[in-house]
């Protein structure tokens, strides 16, 4: 739009500069010959011309400002000032397919039109060691206790999310843009980490958590909870996500090959959606990890308050039960005095129970994804 309007008006930065030079030359001549009527007329004509150019230039600048504003509104979340979810997936899709194309030495996007069997063979052909040290990694953070803020006033929750956005930008700056954060939706923030170093990934997650904790959350004091914002974080490396996707494809292909004997449904992933499906599955892994972290934070809090401050427990359990995997009062009583391993084992079992109860598994493929995601997330959770 900017270039089109500029060309139509015959205006460019060079033209504008030339007009200014002519104007200065005319003015210098006028000063030298103050009483020359012809020069005065020429000066007035130049003045009118340059004023018209400046007015048109101002209109063009306003157009550019409006276009930048519209682009910003389409790209950034208005509350957190972080980029929106769709741009997270767009960038991650570009990063992942570019890396795989480089490794395979061909455009992997062309594979999306292959039959699933051939697509699976292509993916399975890769030597996993080729991506073992490759970025990116991804991060998901789930803001803790935000539901307690929103029970009183959504403005409080929005202000807290605004600080979360600032924490994300501060973290990215600390790590020289090795991390970029996006608003995923609700109380979830995601990040693309341009590193595959395990220690650096942990440092980024810890720094983000620390930056978030700098935000005061005085509303929590009324519930007997330390008055600072918290975020429950999960991370996943590219290798983990890719391996999970490959395992899914291999299992699907094996079951498809045996479907007549077993009378199973034929499983597929739609053409042109396969790498998108991979990214969705990878994000589900990191989301599952953050869910387990949230439960790990909430259950000890609830057991403490139920035993020692029952009036506080009564005030918070309604907002916190879901994040604690819908734990019952009886289960909370049974967890009193449990060590960390026992607590984690309970969380894993409880999470599996809530998934079986709450998830509507619409297909065999969905069940396979759910099982793989749960296995990966819980293996890491229990190993720590």
């Amino acid at each position: 739009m900017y270039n089109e309007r500029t060309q139509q008006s015959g205006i460019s930065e060079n033209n504008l500069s030339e007009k200014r030079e002519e104007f200065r030359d005319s003015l210098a001549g006028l000063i030298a010959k103050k009483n020359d009527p012809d020069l005065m007329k020429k000066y007035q004509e130049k003045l009118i011309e340059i004023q018209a150019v400046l007015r048109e230039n101002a209109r063009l600048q306003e157009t550019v400002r409006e276009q930048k504003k519209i682009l910003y509104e389409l790209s950034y979340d208005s509350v957190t000032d972080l980029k929106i979810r769709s741009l997270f997936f767009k960038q991650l899709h570009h990063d992942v397919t570019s890396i795989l194309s480089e490794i395979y030495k061909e455009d992997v996007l062309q594979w999306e039109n292959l039959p699933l069997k051939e697509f699976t063979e292509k993916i399975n052909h890769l030597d996993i060691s080729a991506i073992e040290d490759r970025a990116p990694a991804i991060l998901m953070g789930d803001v803790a206790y935000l539901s307690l803020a929103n029970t009183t006033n959504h403005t409080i929750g929005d202000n807290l999310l605004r600080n979360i956005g600032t924490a994300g930008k501060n973290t990215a700056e600390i790590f020289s843009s090795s991390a970029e954060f996006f608003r995923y939706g609700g109380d979830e923030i995601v990040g693309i980490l341009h590193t595959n170093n395990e220690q650096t990934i942990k440092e980024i997650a810890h720094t983000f958590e620390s930056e978030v904790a700098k935000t005061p959350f005085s509303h929590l004091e009324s519930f007997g909870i330390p008055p600072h914002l918290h975020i429950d974080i999960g991370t996943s490396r590219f290798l983990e996500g890719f391996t999970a996707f490959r395992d899914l494809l291999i299992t699907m292909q094996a079951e498809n090959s045996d479907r007549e004997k077993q009378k199973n449904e034929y499983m597929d992933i739609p053409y042109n959606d396969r790498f998108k499906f991979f990214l969705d599955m990878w994000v589900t892994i990191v989301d599952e990890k953050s869910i387990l972290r949230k439960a790990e934070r909430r259950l000890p809090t609830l057991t403490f308050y139920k035993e020692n401050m029952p009036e506080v427990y009564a005030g918070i359990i309604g907002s916190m039960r879901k994040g604690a995997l819908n734990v019952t009062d009886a289960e909370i009583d049974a967890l009193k005095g449990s060590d960390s391993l026992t607590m984690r084992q309970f969380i894993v079992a409880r999470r599996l129970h809530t998934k079986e109860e709450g998830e509507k598994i619409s297909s065999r493929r969905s069940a396979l994804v759910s099982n793989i995601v749960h296995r990966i997330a819980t293996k890491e959770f229990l190993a720590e």
Side-chain angles (χ1 to χ4, degrees):
M1 173 67 81
Y2 179 86
N3 289 335
E4 182 182 340
R5 289 193 58 183
T6 302
Q7 290 168 1
Q8 288 175 352
S9 62
I11 297 170
S12 67
E13 288 297 324
N14 289 336
N15 289 340
L16 186 59
S17 178
E18 290 171 3
K19 295 294 182 185
R20 287 172 176 156
E21 289 295 330
E22 290 177 14
F23 177 68
R24 279 195 290 268
D25 292 343
S26 298
L27 183 59
L30 181 65
I31 293 171
K33 301 178 180 180
K34 295 180 182 179
N35 299 318
D36 188 331
D38 293 334
L39 189 57
M40 177 64 76
K41 182 179 179 180
K42 182 180 179 182
Y43 164 72
Q44 289 173 336
E45 291 172 351
K46 290 293 182 184
L47 179 59
I48 292 170
E49 187 177 354
I50 198 70
Q51 286 174 337
V53 171
L54 290 173
R55 282 195 299 271
E56 181 62 18
N57 187 60
R59 284 195 293 270
L60 291 173
Q61 289 179 347
E62 180 62 26
T63 299
V64 171
R65 282 193 293 270
E66 285 298 319
Q67 289 177 337
K68 287 181 177 179
K69 180 181 177 183
I70 292 170
L71 180 61
Y72 176 85
E73 291 173 349
L74 291 173
S75 303
Y76 286 81
D77 173 62
S78 60
V79 177
T80 61
D81 198 34
L82 298 175
K83 288 182 180 179
I84 59 177
R85 171 178 175 157
S86 60
L87 293 183
F88 163 75
F89 278 110
K90 183 177 182 179
Q91 181 175 326
L92 192 60
H93 187 279
H94 173 268
D95 291 349
V96 165
T97 54
S98 295
I99 290 168
L100 291 176
S101 295
E102 176 190 333
I103 293 171
Y104 281 101
K105 301 188 185 328
E106 60 179 295
D107 183 4
V108 297
L109 291 174
Q110 300 300 317
W111 300 354
E112 296 211 302
N113 294 316
L114 295 174
L116 183 66
K117 182 178 180 180
E118 293 179 38
F119 180 82
T120 301
E121 289 172 352
K122 289 276 192 181
I123 292 294
N124 194 34
H125 180 69
L126 178 68
D127 181 359
I128 284 295
S129 64
I131 63 170
E132 192 169 0
D133 297 320
R134 299 299 295 263
I138 56 175
L139 170 153
M140 177 170 282
D142 194 342
V143 183
Y145 308 131
L146 194 63
S147 57
L148 293 177
N150 288 332
T151 56
T152 302
N153 189 333
H154 275 274
T155 301
I156 297 174
D158 285 349
N159 288 336
L160 293 173
L161 285 170
R162 195 166 289 110
N163 288 328
I164 293 286
T166 301
K169 287 183 281 188
N170 288 345
T171 302
E173 185 175 346
I174 289 169
F175 286 90
S176 302
S177 299
S178 290
E180 185 172 2
F181 293 87
F182 304 75
R183 174 85 183 273
Y184 193 73
D187 53 5
E188 294 175 321
I189 306 295
V190 289
I192 298 177
L193 313 183
H194 304 291
T195 177
N196 197 46
N197 182 278
E198 193 69 39
Q199 184 59 36
T200 303
I201 293 170
K202 289 179 180 179
E203 289 174 1
I204 291 173
H206 177 73
T207 300
F208 184 39
E209 187 175 5
S210 299
E211 287 293 316
V212 168
K214 292 178 181 178
T215 300
F217 190 3
S218 58
H219 186 65
L220 292 179
E221 286 185 305
S222 61
F223 298 99
I225 299 173
H228 297 284
L229 201 56
H230 302 280
I231 191 164
D232 301 301
I233 295 175
T235 61
S236 178
R237 297 166 63 205
F238 179 38
L239 175 64
E240 183 175 68
F242 183 85
T243 302
F245 182 56
R246 188 187 67 168
D247 290 348
L248 172 69
L249 292 173
I250 292 172
T251 304
M252 286 172 58
Q253 183 57 39
E255 292 197 11
N256 283 342
S257 299
D258 200 33
R259 71 184 185 282
E260 292 184 3
K261 178 179 178 182
Q262 301 295 331
K263 296 184 179 180
N264 291 329
E265 62 181 285
Y266 180 79
M267 292 179 286
D268 202 351
I269 301 172
Y271 294 115
N272 298 317
D273 274 348
R274 286 168 180 165
F275 286 110
K276 178 181 180 298
F277 190 93
F278 160 46
L279 299 184
D280 286 339
M281 184 177 181
W282 190 16
V283 170
T284 303
I285 292 171
V286 79
D287 183 34
E288 184 72 10
K289 291 182 181 183
S290 72
I291 288 171
L292 297 176
R293 295 295 176 203
K294 181 181 285 289
E296 186 181 28
R297 182 191 299 276
R298 289 199 175 186
L299 278 173
T301 300
L302 291 174
T303 56
F304 173 81
Y305 285 121
K306 191 170 191 304
E307 181 177 12
N308 300 290
M309 302 172 68
E311 70 286 352
V312 173
Y313 175 83
I316 64 177
I317 186 60
S319 297
M320 293 179 61
R321 196 185 296 276
K322 181 180 178 182
L325 305 178
N326 293 319
V327 64
T328 67
D329 291 346
E331 287 171 326
I332 290 175
D333 287 333
L335 286 169
K336 292 175 184 176
S338 298
D339 59 27
S340 60
L341 179 58
T342 301
M343 189 73 76
R344 288 185 178 188
Q345 289 172 337
F346 170 81
I347 288 170
V348 168
R350 184 67 194 175
R351 176 56 179 161
L352 184 59
H353 176 70
T354 57
K355 283 168 69 72
E356 290 172 347
E357 279 193 338
E359 289 186 358
K360 294 181 179 179
I361 303 298
S362 59
S363 65
R364 175 58 181 160
R365 188 189 71 186
S366 297
L368 289 176
V369 171
S370 182
N371 291 339
I372 292 172
V373 167
H374 182 72
R375 171 174 52 81
I376 291 172
T378 54
K379 181 180 179 181
E380 176 182 289
F381 184 66
L382 291 172
E384 293 183 353

